[in-house]
Structure formats: C-alpha cells, structure tokens
C-alpha cells in the first residue's frame, strides 16, 4: 500500500506517495504577467487623462473605467512579483483493475489575486453597462450580488477538493450565478437600453454582446486550466491575459470614446457627484 505524506482529503486513504509534482508558473507566464501589468497601468493613465477633457458631471464612466484598470494593474503587480498566489494541494486517484488504486500528489499554483481583482472589477464593469442601459437600483443591486456570488464561489472552486463533489459543485453554483448576470445584461439590460432610443439601444447591444462573449470564455478557460488541469499554469496565465485586456482596456476605450461622441449615453447621477457646481 502507498506510503508517504499523510493527507486529510475526504474519500481517499490517508496516505499517498511523497513525490509531489508542481504545476507552477515559469518564464513565459511571469513575463506575461509583467506585460499585462504595464498595459493596465498605461490604460489607467490614458483613461484618467481622457477624463480631464470632460466636465465632472460627465466623468462617471471615466471614473469607473479608470478604477477597473487600476485594480487590474495592482493585481497584476502582485502576481508578477509572486504575491497573491498559493499552492493548491491535489490528490489525484487512478483507478486500477487488478492492482490497488494509485495516487498522485500534485501542487498547482492558484493565483487568488485574480479573484480579488474580479470581485472589485466585474461589479464595476457591470455598473458601467447598467448605467448605460439605464437600469434601476434594484436591478443593479441584484446583478452585482449575483456577480459577487459568481466570483467568490469560483474562488472556492479553485481551492476545492478533486474527486469529491466539492470542486465542481462550487463551479456549478458559480455558473448558475453567472446565468443571472447574463439575464440582467442580455435580456433586462437590452430591453431597458432600447427604451432610451435606438442609438443607445444599438450601442448597448454591441458592447454588452462583446462583454458576454468575453466573459463566457472565463469559465471555459477555468474549466480547462484550473478545473481539468489540461493546460499548464503558463497557458492559463496567457489565456486570462488576453481576456483581461479585451474585458478591461479594450472595453474601456470603446465605452469612453463612444460616450464622448454620443450625448444620449449621458447619465445624471444627481447632486452628490457634481456638488451642484457643474452645469454640464
Ligand atoms: C469563474 C469560475 C467559476 C464559474 C464562472 C466563472 C466566471 C468568471 C467570470 C469572470 C470575468 C472576469 C472579468 C475580468 C475582467 O478583466 C469564476 C471563472 C462562471 C465571468 C471580466
């Protein structure tokens, strides 16, 4: 019977071989993290500069969008310098027909800083879109809470135990929460935006459609890389890097440039925002 490191993983014997494999980031992954850190920092500076060209009353999207890339830059700095990460202990069981089952012990690097980033930035991205569509506070609250449930249960999935219902159970819960978000954007948001006129309606349909396609790729990447562990940690870093650039800087430039050209996208958030001083 296998001997070595004791484990406390439910459903498997308490002893597994003591030669673990490590699935961690290497040069390509680490370089990618630095590149995205730089791109997020530059985007933040450009978004901030763009906001100075408009009166305070018209800066709401600028402020939200700049915060999104600032949070991402901070999270990428953490990951690039080796922080915001820990090793998930996995015990993988291979069922054998004629000999006793064998167990492999694996440590895979999980960048939990991503989930901190996402728990701040995905609500802000949703807020950008919800304001554009003209959603009411009740629907914005429900969409943001569903989104937070999605990210936090996704974090639990990332550290969940394999070979028990835990890991994929959390993943399923996260996917259900994601469907709630999809409904708020794809159905409720689209109808509400269309009521603001055909220009805003068309722009919302385009940018929310883009968002839903990009966002849907995240659980797919997660399932292949974190979940099934078919992709290396470097591959995972590169896949999320491409998605993060599309979901944050590309989304942001598209939103802010269109906002500057289409006055109907304006949202009036009342006296607090401008202290009643801005006439615009
Ligand atoms: C997880 C895993 C669990 C199932 C689901 C997920 C969805 C994540 C999404 C993330 C979006 C991130 C963005 C980041 C911005 O740059 C947590 C991966 C559904 C939709 C837009």
């Amino acid at each position: 019977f296998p001997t070595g490191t004791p484990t406390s993983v439910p459903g498997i014997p308490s002893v597994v071989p003591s030669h673990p494999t490590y699935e961690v980031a290497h040069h390509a992954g680490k370089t990618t993290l630095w590149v995205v850190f730089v791109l997020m920092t530059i985007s933040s500076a450009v978004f901030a500069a763009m906001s100075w060209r408009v009166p305070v009353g018209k800066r709401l999207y600028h402020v939200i969008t700049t915060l999104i890339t600032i949070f991402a830059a901070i999270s990428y700095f953490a990951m690039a310098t080796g922080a915001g990460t820990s090793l998930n202990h996995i015990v993988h069981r291979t069922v054998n027909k004629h000999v006793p089952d064998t167990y492999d012990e694996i440590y895979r690097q999980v960048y939990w800083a991503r989930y901190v980033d996402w728990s701040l930035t995905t609500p802000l991205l949703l807020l950008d879109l919800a304001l554009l569509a003209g959603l009411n506070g009740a629907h914005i609250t429900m969409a943001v809470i569903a989104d937070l449930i999605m990210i936090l249960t996704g974090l639990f999935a990332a550290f969940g135990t394999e070979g028990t219902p835990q890991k994929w159970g959390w993943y399923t819960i996260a996917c259900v929460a994601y469907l709630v978000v999809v409904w708020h954007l794809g159905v409720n948001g689209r109808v509400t935006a269309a009521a603001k006129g055909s220009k805003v309606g068309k722009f919302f349909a385009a940018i929310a459609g883009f968002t839903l396609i990009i966002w849907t790729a995240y659980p797919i990447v997660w399932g292949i890389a974190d979940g099934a562990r078919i992709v290396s940690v470097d591959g995972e870093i590169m896949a999320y890097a491409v998605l993060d650039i599309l979901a944050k800087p590309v989304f942001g430039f598209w939103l802010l440039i269109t906002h500057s050209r289409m006055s109907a996208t304006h949202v009036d958030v009342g006296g607090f925002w401008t202290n009643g001083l801005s006439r615009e």
Side-chain angles (χ1 to χ4, degrees), residues 118 122 125 150 154 171 174-175 178 215 218-219 222 244 247-248:
W118 295 347
T122 54
L125 288 163
M150 169 185 87
Y171 181 82
C175 287
Y178 179 54
W215 284 37
Y218 283 86
W222 194 100
D244 284 351
K248 289 174 170 135

Side-chain angles (χ1 to χ4, degrees), residues 30-263:
K30 289 176 192 168
T31 309
T32 306
L33 292 171
W34 279 115
V35 169
V36 181
F37 162 68
V38 171
L39 290 175
M40 292 295 181
T41 305
I42 294 171
S43 303
S44 306
V46 174
F47 292 156
M50 286 167 81
S51 81
W52 300 332
R53 296 163 164 266
V54 299
V56 169
K58 285 190 177 165
R59 279 184 201 171
L60 183 52
Y61 296 117
H62 294 77
V63 169
I64 297 171
T65 308
T66 309
L67 287 173
I68 290 168
T69 49
I70 288 176
F71 284 138
I74 294 169
S75 140
Y76 269 93
F77 180 79
M79 296 191 286
T81 56
T85 173
S86 48
L87 293 173
N88 189 21
H89 183 211
I90 298 154
V91 179
H92 186 86
R93 174 182 184 187
T94 309
V95 179
N96 297 315
K97 257 192 175 163
H98 302 297
V99 288
D101 294 349
T102 45
Y103 297 89
D104 296 299
E105 195 179 19
I106 299 145
Y107 285 95
R108 185 175 172 110
Q109 192 169 16
V110 175
Y111 285 96
W112 52 260
R114 289 191 194 290
Y115 298 84
V116 178
D117 167 343
W118 295 347
S119 67
L120 295 165
T121 56
T122 54
L124 290 172
L125 288 163
L126 278 181
L127 190 58
D128 261 342
L129 290 167
L131 293 168
L132 176 64
L135 291 187
N136 59 37
H139 281 111
I140 296 177
T141 304
M142 290 187 284
V144 164
I145 290 175
D147 179 86
L148 283 171
I149 291 174
M150 169 185 87
I151 301 297
L152 291 176
T153 54
L155 172 63
F156 301 155
F159 286 101
T161 305
E162 279 183 21
T164 79
Q166 196 180 58
K167 182 176 192 168
W168 294 102
W170 282 125
Y171 181 82
T172 307
I173 296 171
C175 287
V176 173
Y178 179 54
L179 292 180
V180 177
V181 174
V182 171
W183 179 84
H184 279 282
L185 286 184
V187 181
N188 192 33
R190 210 151 42 95
V191 173
T192 315
K196 280 177 86 178
S198 75
K199 268 185 154 187
V200 175
K202 274 192 193 137
F203 174 50
F204 180 85
I207 197 165
F210 169 80
T211 299
L212 288 181
I213 292 170
I214 306 295
W215 284 37
T216 302
Y218 283 86
I220 296 172
V221 168
W222 194 100
I224 297 170
D226 277 289
R229 289 186 294 101
I230 295 167
V231 169
S232 68
V233 171
D234 277 1
E236 175 188 323
I237 289 173
M238 289 186 247
Y240 284 135
V242 172
L243 294 177
D244 284 351
I245 288 164
L246 292 170
K248 289 174 170 135
V250 172
F251 169 93
F253 279 113
W254 188 8
L255 176 68
L256 295 185
I257 290 168
T258 309
H259 174 52
S260 73
R261 294 187 181 156
M262 195 190 288
S263 56

Side-chain angles (χ1 to χ4, degrees), residues 4-25:
T5 316
T7 68
S8 57
V9 181
I12 63 144
S14 62
V15 173
V16 292
S18 59
H19 300 288
T21 20
Y22 287 87
E23 296 177 4
V24 293

